[in-house]
Amino acid sequence: MEEKEARRLVESYTDMIMRIGTNYLKSTVDAEDICQAVLVKYITSSPHFASPQHEKAWVIRTTINMCKNELKSSFFKKTTVLEEADDIKAAASPDLGITEKVMKLPRNYRISIYLFYYEGYSAKEIADLLGKKESSINMYLSRGRKKLKLSIMNDFGMSSSING
């Protein structure tokens, strides 16, 4: 692979891989390791893609798979994640703490919401990426939105009995 292509790859996907990795692993340091592993895998295997969307989907799928493998590893199971509040605050944009609230959601909700709102994938595309049914993704999105709404309402001291 040429240096120019490798630079394009790093510039195009590093932020996205880091966000997905941090979402899954709740650790910036572990996400950096995953990011490096995904990029090295891409560079060494030199896969061919039909379109830029196919390439992006491969990067996302590979990142998710590597994160899942990391979570299953005995090393990861035996370690305790330290709070990285400073790293998360530095990476987050001023969004009224919504990114922080998304990070606190259960994994299925968190990943579905991230891919839907931050990466712009449809529910069907997310289902294909995650190997789940589209109805499951729609359910994760719906329940995740409800949890976010309740969390935001609680922050502003609003009653959770408000419908809408």
Side-chain angles (χ1 to χ4, degrees):
M1 177 177 281
E2 293 182 25
E3 182 179 342
K4 183 178 178 183
E5 179 65 10
R7 286 186 190 277
R8 181 199 65 81
L9 177 69
V10 170
E11 290 171 4
S12 298
Y13 296 114
T14 298
D15 289 340
M16 180 183 69
I17 295 169
M18 285 295 297
R19 288 191 302 264
I20 293 170
T22 303
N23 266 314
Y24 257 90
L25 304 173
K26 300 273 190 163
S27 167
T28 305
V29 174
D30 291 332
E32 289 171 352
D33 291 343
I34 294 295
C35 182
Q36 183 177 9
V38 170
L39 295 174
V40 166
K41 183 173 183 170
Y42 186 108
I43 290 169
T44 57
S45 66
S46 299
H48 298 284
F49 301 106
S51 67
Q53 292 80 15
H54 183 217
E55 178 185 64
K56 185 176 180 181
W58 182 91
V59 170
I60 290 172
R61 183 75 254 164
T62 302
T63 302
I64 290 170
N65 287 341
M66 287 187 171
C67 288
K68 286 180 178 180
N69 290 342
E70 182 71 13
L71 290 171
K72 287 189 258 182
S73 75
S74 62
F75 175 78
F76 198 84
K77 289 178 182 177
K78 294 178 182 177
T79 58
T80 304
V81 178
L82 298 175
E83 286 296 318
E84 296 181 330
D86 293 336
D87 290 344
I88 292 172
K89 285 180 189 173
S93 60
D95 60 1
L96 303 175
I98 292 176
T99 301
E100 182 179 313
K101 291 185 183 319
V102 170
M103 292 289 289
K104 292 179 181 178
L105 290 172
R107 182 179 299 126
N108 285 335
Y109 301 166
R110 185 174 65 235
I111 297 303
S112 297
I113 285 177
Y114 169 77
L115 292 173
F116 188 83
Y117 289 105
Y118 290 78
E119 295 299 330
Y121 281 94
S122 70
K124 182 175 181 358
E125 292 168 326
I126 295 168
D128 292 342
L129 284 170
L130 300 180
K132 298 196 182 269
K133 293 180 180 178
E134 184 178 355
S135 61
S136 297
I137 299 303
N138 285 323
M139 180 191 62
Y140 297 154
L141 289 169
S142 176
R143 290 180 181 173
R145 285 184 204 111
K146 286 178 185 174
K147 285 184 176 284
L148 285 172
K149 180 180 177 181
L150 288 174
S151 179
I152 292 168
M153 288 172 60
N154 287 338
D155 285 354
F156 289 104
M158 299 172 76
S159 171
S160 60
S161 64
I162 299 174
N163 293 324

